[in-house]
Amino acid sequence: MQKGWSVVSLILSCCMLLYLVLWSNLSERFLRRKSVTNLDFQPTTSPYKTEKPLYTEQEAVITPIPILYKDNFTQLPVWDFEDFYLRDHQTRNPICPKSLHNNNDPEFKEAVLPDIRLWFYNGNLNISEWNRLAHFNNPFGFMEYKYNEIKEVVELIPKPKSPILLPVPKDSPDGCIRCAVVGTGGILNNSRLGKEIDSHDYVFRMNGAITQGFEEDVGNRTSVYKLCSVHQQGIKYVMIPEGMRDFEWLQGLLQGKESIGAFKGVRPLSYFNGHFNESRFYVLHPDFLRYVRNRFMPSKQLQSKYWAIYRPTNGAFALFLALHVCDIVDAYGFITEDHLKYSNYYYEKLEKTKVIFYINHDYNLEIKTWKKLHQAGIIKLFQGH
Ligand SMILES: *[C@@H]1O[C@H](CO)[C@@H](O)[C@H](O)[C@H]1NC(C)=O
Ligand SMILES: *[C@@H]1O[C@H](CO)[C@@H](O)[C@H](O)[C@H]1NC(C)=O
Ligand SMILES: *[C@@H]1O[C@H](CO)[C@@H](O)[C@H](O)[C@H]1NC(C)=O
Ligand SMILES: *[C@@H]1O[C@H](CO)[C@@H](O)[C@H](O)[C@H]1NC(C)=O
Ligand SMILES: *[C@@H]1O[C@H](CO)[C@@H](O)[C@H](O)[C@H]1NC(C)=O
């Protein structure tokens, strides 16, 4: 049995109350086998079917394609543009000598796209773009969604002032951006890593993680936050909209109104206690999420009929985001091989809760991936004292 240290139930519990927590040259087609198969990051077998898009390139710019249904696929459909991702032209050129952008691990180098598009914002969705993304299940795209409903919300999302989330700190002696990504694993209990975590230039946290009362173990600084409300000045918020209700919530937030649909009557803005600031709010692009899934975390579950419910954990997305915007990444509270020794979350007050295996995540794959990234010198993973 497994633990869900970064999990759906948590997202759901915070999200029930509120819910918060992320081209165009169709001709530029990659054959996914060619680009990814020889990576060890792959499942052991990958007999994916390659599917053709359901429209001609001319039709693609005029009308949204007919809705595709997840139920119609018995495993992940792999389109011939599956492994095509938007890129950003303005990317960072790290001067940091230890930057993982200069990492020479052959597998990582082959999988990573340093200029992958991270953010999703107004102007990003037109019909041809929709027709590409409507082939992928949410949050990796918009399969089963309606163009007009999503388009309306996307138009409200502010464009980030810079494509890059984090500036190099002024006092950085070597031009390096050092980041701590803090998961919620019980391994942090009594770790006394608070000072070490806080000494990073930026600290990423997620999923309603509480720091109050646990500062000695997990620190008290937060610079980048995934999901749910935390009220601290200067924090940047990163959202992964999952499901129509997240888009409804987002719409309420960005219009400063009550949400419609699942969050009817909820005013998302009120969760920010007056600290909401659009220029610190980011939404991850479906291409980035799909890139993380396809290239780094392709669970075997994608080849089963449960393919559509699989997604990497929020911790995984946060870690890969950090890998793309920082030079040096230290991961704390992420799942390790000996996770059964610890409680699910560092902030559990009661005795250890039973570990739960959530079918929408692949914890064994995450355990292996974090360990591998650590061994390759790409991250430093805290594995206990
Ligand atoms: C595809 O799935 C939809 C929704 O579940 C269903 O109504 C439809 O009959 C399916 N089509 C085929 C060809 O199986
Ligand atoms: C649609 O959007 C994409 C991505 O932003 C852009 O590259 C493309 O030119 C747009 N296509 C049309 C027909 O406007
Ligand atoms: C965080 O902890 C440090 C000392 O460990 C303290 O000086 C600082 O005020 C704390 N900050 C917050 C926001 O609590
Ligand atoms: C919002 O954040 C930006 C960037 O951090 C800052 O320049 C601006 O003053 C903030 N606006 C408000 C109203 O706090
Ligand atoms: C943290 O460790 C203490 C002492 O070892 C223990 O009493 C407590 O139950 C642990 N808390 C969690 C959430 O594991």
Side-chain angles (χ1 to χ4, degrees), residues 189-190 343 345-346 348:
N189 187 28
N190 293 320
S343 57
Y345 310 109
Y346 65 75
E348 265 162 350

PDB file of all heavy atoms in Angstrom, residues 189-190 343 345-346 348, ligand 5:
ATOM      1  N   ASN A 189       8.784  15.407   9.258  1.00  0.00           N
ATOM      2  CA  ASN A 189       8.523  15.489  10.700  1.00  0.00           C
ATOM      3  C   ASN A 189       9.839  15.321  11.456  1.00  0.00           C
ATOM      4  O   ASN A 189      10.569  14.369  11.220  1.00  0.00           O
ATOM      5  CB  ASN A 189       7.531  14.379  11.095  1.00  0.00           C
ATOM      6  CG  ASN A 189       7.083  14.498  12.544  1.00  0.00           C
ATOM      7  OD1 ASN A 189       7.052  15.589  13.097  1.00  0.00           O
ATOM      8  ND2 ASN A 189       6.754  13.360  13.150  1.00  0.00           N
ATOM      9  N   ASN A 190      10.143  16.257  12.356  1.00  0.00           N
ATOM     10  CA  ASN A 190      11.397  16.250  13.125  1.00  0.00           C
ATOM     11  C   ASN A 190      12.656  16.361  12.278  1.00  0.00           C
ATOM     12  O   ASN A 190      13.734  16.004  12.721  1.00  0.00           O
ATOM     13  CB  ASN A 190      11.532  14.963  13.950  1.00  0.00           C
ATOM     14  CG  ASN A 190      10.497  14.906  15.041  1.00  0.00           C
ATOM     15  OD1 ASN A 190      10.225  15.932  15.664  1.00  0.00           O
ATOM     16  ND2 ASN A 190       9.906  13.760  15.259  1.00  0.00           N
ATOM     17  N   SER A 343       4.574   9.170   8.280  1.00  0.00           N
ATOM     18  CA  SER A 343       3.151   9.431   8.097  1.00  0.00           C
ATOM     19  C   SER A 343       2.947  10.037   6.708  1.00  0.00           C
ATOM     20  O   SER A 343       3.890  10.407   6.024  1.00  0.00           O
ATOM     21  CB  SER A 343       2.664  10.387   9.178  1.00  0.00           C
ATOM     22  OG  SER A 343       3.434  11.570   9.126  1.00  0.00           O
ATOM     23  N   TYR A 345       1.546  12.918   5.871  1.00  0.00           N
ATOM     24  CA  TYR A 345       1.839  14.347   5.796  1.00  0.00           C
ATOM     25  C   TYR A 345       2.602  14.760   7.034  1.00  0.00           C
ATOM     26  O   TYR A 345       2.338  14.253   8.112  1.00  0.00           O
ATOM     27  CB  TYR A 345       0.540  15.170   5.761  1.00  0.00           C
ATOM     28  CG  TYR A 345      -0.429  14.678   4.736  1.00  0.00           C
ATOM     29  CD1 TYR A 345      -1.599  14.035   5.118  1.00  0.00           C
ATOM     30  CD2 TYR A 345      -0.161  14.849   3.376  1.00  0.00           C
ATOM     31  CE1 TYR A 345      -2.494  13.567   4.163  1.00  0.00           C
ATOM     32  CE2 TYR A 345      -1.047  14.380   2.426  1.00  0.00           C
ATOM     33  CZ  TYR A 345      -2.217  13.739   2.831  1.00  0.00           C
ATOM     34  OH  TYR A 345      -3.080  13.277   1.893  1.00  0.00           O
ATOM     35  N   TYR A 346       3.487  15.729   6.865  1.00  0.00           N
ATOM     36  CA  TYR A 346       4.222  16.177   8.046  1.00  0.00           C
ATOM     37  C   TYR A 346       3.317  16.880   9.047  1.00  0.00           C
ATOM     38  O   TYR A 346       3.640  16.986  10.212  1.00  0.00           O
ATOM     39  CB  TYR A 346       5.405  17.079   7.650  1.00  0.00           C
ATOM     40  CG  TYR A 346       5.040  18.395   7.003  1.00  0.00           C
ATOM     41  CD1 TYR A 346       4.530  19.458   7.746  1.00  0.00           C
ATOM     42  CD2 TYR A 346       5.215  18.590   5.636  1.00  0.00           C
ATOM     43  CE1 TYR A 346       4.184  20.660   7.155  1.00  0.00           C
ATOM     44  CE2 TYR A 346       4.879  19.795   5.034  1.00  0.00           C
ATOM     45  CZ  TYR A 346       4.359  20.820   5.783  1.00  0.00           C
ATOM     46  OH  TYR A 346       4.018  21.984   5.188  1.00  0.00           O
ATOM     47  N   GLU A 348       0.256  16.039   9.990  1.00  0.00           N
ATOM     48  CA  GLU A 348      -0.784  15.249  10.633  1.00  0.00           C
ATOM     49  C   GLU A 348      -0.681  15.394  12.145  1.00  0.00           C
ATOM     50  O   GLU A 348       0.375  15.178  12.715  1.00  0.00           O
ATOM     51  CB  GLU A 348      -0.644  13.774  10.261  1.00  0.00           C
ATOM     52  CG  GLU A 348      -1.514  13.411   9.094  1.00  0.00           C
ATOM     53  CD  GLU A 348      -1.059  12.121   8.457  1.00  0.00           C
ATOM     54  OE1 GLU A 348       0.017  11.607   8.790  1.00  0.00           O
ATOM     55  OE2 GLU A 348      -1.801  11.642   7.621  1.00  0.00           O
TER      56      GLU A 348
HETATM   57  C1  LIG B   5       6.307  13.291  14.397  1.00  0.00           C
HETATM   58  O1  LIG B   5       7.258  12.714  15.259  1.00  0.00           O
HETATM   59  C2  LIG B   5       6.830  12.677  16.610  1.00  0.00           C
HETATM   60  C3  LIG B   5       7.986  12.204  17.479  1.00  0.00           C
HETATM   61  O2  LIG B   5       8.810  11.314  16.818  1.00  0.00           O
HETATM   62  C4  LIG B   5       5.627  11.784  16.733  1.00  0.00           C
HETATM   63  O3  LIG B   5       5.176  11.754  18.060  1.00  0.00           O
HETATM   64  C5  LIG B   5       4.527  12.323  15.831  1.00  0.00           C
HETATM   65  O4  LIG B   5       3.422  11.454  15.819  1.00  0.00           O
HETATM   66  C6  LIG B   5       5.048  12.471  14.415  1.00  0.00           C
HETATM   67  N1  LIG B   5       4.048  13.156  13.626  1.00  0.00           N
HETATM   68  C7  LIG B   5       3.725  12.718  12.441  1.00  0.00           C
HETATM   69  C8  LIG B   5       2.719  13.538  11.692  1.00  0.00           C
HETATM   70  O5  LIG B   5       4.214  11.722  11.939  1.00  0.00           O
END
